């Protein structure tokens, strides 16, 4: 039997922490899934001003967290269909990568989980849970227990993704709404 050296232990710890990581969709696949009728996607990185960040915090009831956001506009020919915003939130210990599709009126069209790295709580990828967000805006019903159901065993994942979607919906209302 080989002795466990500090290097071996480090490698084992790194391997075990990522053993549950699952990549479901790329950003491009999420865009196509959320806006299948789009024939063009245009990156539209968003920089929030200090004033916009304060408005987002007030509307979402959460810190705006960042001035820079990864946004892509979806078009069918010249018609703006909406936006896809990419984000990451912490689950219990690891990041959850997700995409939020928004309509031009800043309502949520759809959310997609891109990557899930936790050992528990992957049920947030369930279509029925994600469907709860459709049609909601930052001002209405984007909170666990208030329009979004919790999933037993996935409480932190549900809460953190829901908070992230509420933040993005607030950003859409403040900075993207047409």
């Amino acid at each position: 039997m080989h002795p466990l050296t500090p290097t071996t232990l480090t490698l084992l710890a790194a391997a075990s922490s990522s053993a549950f990581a699952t990549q479901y969709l790329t950003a491009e696949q999420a865009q196509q899934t959320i806006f299948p009728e789009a024939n063009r996607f245009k990156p539209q990185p968003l920089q929030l001003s200090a004033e916009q960040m304060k408005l987002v915090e007030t509307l979402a009831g959460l810190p705006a967290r960042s001035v820079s956001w990864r946004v892509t506009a979806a078009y069918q020919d010249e018609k703006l269909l909406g936006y896809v915003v990419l984000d990451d939130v912490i689950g219990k210990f690891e990041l959850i990568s997700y995409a939020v599709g928004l309509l031009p009126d800043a309502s949520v069209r759809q959310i997609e989980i891109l990557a899930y790295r936790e050992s528990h709580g992957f049920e947030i990828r369930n279509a029925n849970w994600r469907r709860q967000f459709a049609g909601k805006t930052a001002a209405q019903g984007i909170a666990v227990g208030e329009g979004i159901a919790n999933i037993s065993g996935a409480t932190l994942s549900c809460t953190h993704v829901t908070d992230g979607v509420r933040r993005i919906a607030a950003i859409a209302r403040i900075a993207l709404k047409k």
Side-chain angles (χ1 to χ4, degrees):
M1 179 174 219
H2 296 289
L4 292 177
T5 65
T7 303
T8 304
L9 289 173
T10 301
L11 290 171
L12 286 172
S16 68
S17 70
S18 63
F20 299 106
T22 303
Q23 178 78 35
Y24 296 108
L25 297 169
T26 65
E28 293 76 19
Q29 290 168 328
Q31 292 167 5
Q32 284 294 306
T33 299
I34 295 169
F35 290 104
E37 69 277 30
N39 55 19
R40 183 168 58 102
F41 292 95
K42 180 181 175 188
Q44 189 174 319
L46 178 62
Q47 293 285 109
L48 297 176
S49 68
E51 180 182 338
Q52 287 174 318
M53 287 189 68
K54 287 179 188 172
L55 291 170
V56 167
E57 288 181 13
T58 300
L59 182 59
L62 299 161
R65 204 185 79 212
S66 178
V67 297
S68 299
W69 291 88
R70 299 171 289 174
V71 179
T72 300
Y75 292 91
Q76 185 176 53
D77 300 322
E78 297 306 311
K79 179 185 177 192
L80 174 66
L81 300 174
Y83 304 95
V84 177
V85 180
L86 302 176
D87 192 24
D88 300 293
V89 292
I90 195 80
K92 184 173 184 178
F93 302 111
E94 305 291 339
L95 289 177
I96 301 168
S97 300
Y98 66 104
V100 179
L102 300 146
L103 296 173
D105 69 358
S107 64
V108 175
R109 177 174 179 152
Q110 184 175 330
I111 71 165
E112 291 293 332
I113 305 300
L114 306 182
Y116 194 82
R117 299 167 182 92
E118 298 281 3
S119 61
H120 296 83
F122 59 87
E123 297 89 350
I124 64 167
R125 190 161 179 277
N126 180 298
N128 288 330
W129 187 78
R130 291 180 294 108
R131 206 173 290 128
Q132 299 176 91
F133 292 91
K136 293 193 166 57
T137 65
Q140 63 169 150
I142 304 181
V144 171
E146 298 175 28
I148 304 298
N150 186 36
I151 298 171
S152 181
T155 301
L156 291 175
S157 296
C158 288
T159 300
H160 296 166
V161 169
T162 299
D163 287 351
V165 173
R166 186 169 68 250
R167 179 183 294 114
I168 289 170
I171 289 167
R173 182 166 169 199
I174 302 300
L176 298 172
K177 186 176 178 178
K178 299 293 182 206

